[in-house]
Amino acid sequence: MPLLQVLGLWHPVRRICLSSADGKPAPVLPAAAREFLEAHNQARAAVGVAPLKWSEKLGNGTNRVVRFQRNKMGCQFANLTSGKYGANQLWGSGMAVTPRMAVDAWVKEKTFYNHADNSCAPNHICGVYKQVVWRKSLELGCAQATCVKQQVTLTVCFYDPPGNIIGESPY
């Protein structure tokens, strides 16, 4: 039985071509990066927050984290508390987890978040949702690793600048 439960909705992935600061076309992002970025930016648009941009640096950092966790730590959650970036992670068992499914699981916490008083419903958490829509975060990088033997997928996303600061509203 899966530990991660998500809606069974299919969302088309559109090709995203970005421009660099000098106006030249940026390389086309890999499919997983586009899917992470699109899912995040849809959640952000729903609350009027500017879109994130993909960061190769953050993507490489999350890639190193998930590979280390897979290869050395048996796909356990990573300790991300001392990093300089905001971070979300998801551990999914018993099923393949797509980038969109991971982000949708974080965004699902929105149902427990009360923006009017910047609080979360009793006995619930909202921190990963708040990081997804944190208005001051500008860049995103994510990666996934699968531990075949344990049938586990670990997903990690980094955000820069970090968000989810206690006492501050995300948007």
Side-chain angles (χ1 to χ4, degrees):
M1 175 174 246
L3 294 176
L4 171 66
Q5 193 172 36
V6 296
L7 297 174
L9 301 175
W10 181 79
H11 299 277
V13 176
R14 289 173 284 208
R15 186 178 174 106
I16 298 173
C17 185
L18 304 174
S19 295
S20 60
D22 61 7
K24 295 179 185 174
V28 175
L29 296 174
R34 288 193 316 264
E35 192 173 343
F36 276 120
L37 193 59
E38 182 179 90
H40 274 83
N41 287 339
Q42 285 176 348
R44 294 169 70 84
V47 294
V49 176
L52 293 167
K53 293 184 183 196
W54 186 261
S55 165
E56 194 75 25
K57 177 181 171 184
L58 297 179
N60 289 339
T62 56
N63 190 34
R64 284 189 298 276
V65 168
V66 297
R67 301 297 175 253
F68 176 80
Q69 293 305 119
R70 179 191 64 198
N71 298 338
K72 304 288 184 188
M73 305 301 289
C75 252
Q76 297 301 311
F77 270 116
N79 180 354
L80 303 173
T81 58
S82 62
K84 67 179 186 174
Y85 304 116
N88 279 343
Q89 63 182 317
L90 181 81
W91 188 87
S93 175
M95 62 189 284
V97 178
T98 67
R100 176 163 296 278
M101 290 166 71
V103 178
D104 285 350
W106 296 328
V107 172
K108 196 173 182 182
E109 287 185 3
K110 179 180 183 179
T111 60
F112 306 117
Y113 179 65
N114 181 342
H115 183 257
D117 66 1
N118 192 32
S119 67
C120 194
N123 303 315
H124 292 283
I125 56 172
C126 302
V128 294
Y129 166 69
K130 288 171 40 177
Q131 177 59 81
V132 168
V133 297
W134 197 262
R135 72 182 174 282
K136 293 179 185 175
S137 291
L138 305 173
E139 294 183 317
L140 171 72
C142 305
Q144 292 182 303
T146 301
C147 295
V148 178
K149 192 162 136 183
Q150 298 93 331
Q151 295 183 338
V152 168
T153 302
L154 180 64
T155 305
V156 175
C157 288
F158 284 165
Y159 305 82
D160 191 31
N164 199 21
I165 298 166
I166 295 172
E168 284 190 35
S169 176
Y171 52 89

